Amino acid sequence: KALLHATHLYHDAHANFARYGIKGGDAVTMDVTAMQKQKDKQVAGLTGGIEFLFKKNKVDYVKGEGSFVNANSVNVKKIGGGEQVIEAKKFIIATGSEPTEIPSLKFDEKIILSSTGALALNRVPKHLVVIGGGVIGFELGSVWARLGAKVTVVEYAPKCSPFLDTEVSDYLIKCLTKSEKMKFMTSTKVIGGKVNGDTCLLEVEPAAGGAKQVIECDAVLVSVGRRPFTNSLGLDKVNVETNKQGFVKIHDHFQTNIPNIYAIGDVVDKGPMLAHKAEDEGIACAEFLAGKHGHVNYDVIPSVIYTSPEVAAVGKTEQDLKKAGIQYKVGKFNFSANSRAKAVDIQEGFVKVLADAKTDKILGMHIINSQAGELIAECGLAMEYGASSEDVGRTCHSHPTLSEAIKEACMACYDKPIHA
């Protein structure tokens, strides 16, 4: 997110400053080393903050790699050397996930990059090929495209980010193609690649079969998904059940099949792989262990793609509702008709509301705009409390604000907006 912010400022200077009357934007340069240094400083501050909270709340913090010895003890190979066995009545597995590797393209973090390697690049690639048109591919592709890299996204599926509402996904692709010159090759399969010095020759072909094509590039970001980090945990020693992909199976209270072992976050077979989902699960799991009541509503977990414009969504997409045979109605409002968006010239995008055709209960809300990530919280709150589109549409919103677009989209859903 630090790199996205820095490169957005750089891109804004070059692309937009002149029309605001700010001269010299096209002469702005980027020191990649300094940008990375600032990013590392911000990351260190965040992780240091967690260590401070551990200390403040009297949580013992042991740095190292842990694996189960049995159901009541874990052996830790400490980073500073040596080992330590920790015994406890209950354990929570929260080891997260790691990038999935393609067998024919092993990570070297120089030419063939995981998301970790792409975050640490000390150069702007001439041509970056992104394998996988998902969130990570969009965001990191944007970072380097803004700094001048040619970026090609190769996606096996007919559409990038098929989890997004189709209308939103199509709009985002259009924006990234226009503003950042990103190229998208959908329905395309990567069949191999060979690194030769500072370049990589990547072989692709149509997913349905056809003529092969060789793409020459100097960086490849493999972002085909993430897998649970479970291989080295010794789960087999304690017989914790996992599914075929390695995700830990859990019951409603985050309990595994072993009564005193629990699991949360990316490592479990429930919910999206998102940090805020994991945080809510951690809180709920701790509450259950303390004999209290925990709560995570998996139907109302927002997601955000931090591109420019941003995409944020909560709840169902149109394709979800069609597949389930649910009758629904749609309300939509463009930011080009929003006073605040026009005043500060962030008119790209729209708000889209999906509500039950009979009850008017909101089933899904989708936003594409440069501030979508901040706006989606209101949508999540409305859905958590079972609001109808009329409930939100009749709630007074400050003027002029971008949030008025949410109000107007809801008005369009149950009746009609007043500014369209």
Side-chain angles (χ1 to χ4, degrees), residues 158-170:
K159 282 185 174 292
C160 290
S161 296
F163 54 86
L164 290 177
D165 186 274
T166 300
E167 187 177 8
V168 174
S169 177
D170 290 346

Side-chain angles (χ1 to χ4, degrees), residues 157-198:
K159 282 185 174 292
C160 290
S161 296
F163 54 86
L164 290 177
D165 186 274
T166 300
E167 187 177 8
V168 174
S169 177
D170 290 346
Y171 192 97
L172 177 61
I173 297 297
K174 180 181 176 181
C175 289
L176 294 178
T177 301
K178 179 181 178 182
S179 65
E180 297 176 9
K181 307 296 186 269
M182 292 173 66
K183 179 182 178 182
F184 295 88
M185 299 174 65
T186 54
S187 299
T188 303
K189 178 170 62 175
V190 175
I191 55 177
K194 184 178 181 180
V195 175
N196 183 14
D198 294 332

Side-chain angles (χ1 to χ4, degrees), residues 91-127:
F91 290 90
I92 301 175
I93 301 170
T95 48
S97 59
E98 61 183 348
T100 300
E101 201 169 40
I102 295 177
S104 60
L105 293 167
K106 298 290 185 180
F107 296 135
D108 61 20
E109 304 301 15
K110 294 178 181 178
I111 305 295
I112 310 301
L113 309 167
S114 67
S115 55
T116 304
L119 284 168
L121 272 179
N122 59 3
R123 60 185 173 89
V124 178
K126 294 178 182 177
H127 185 190

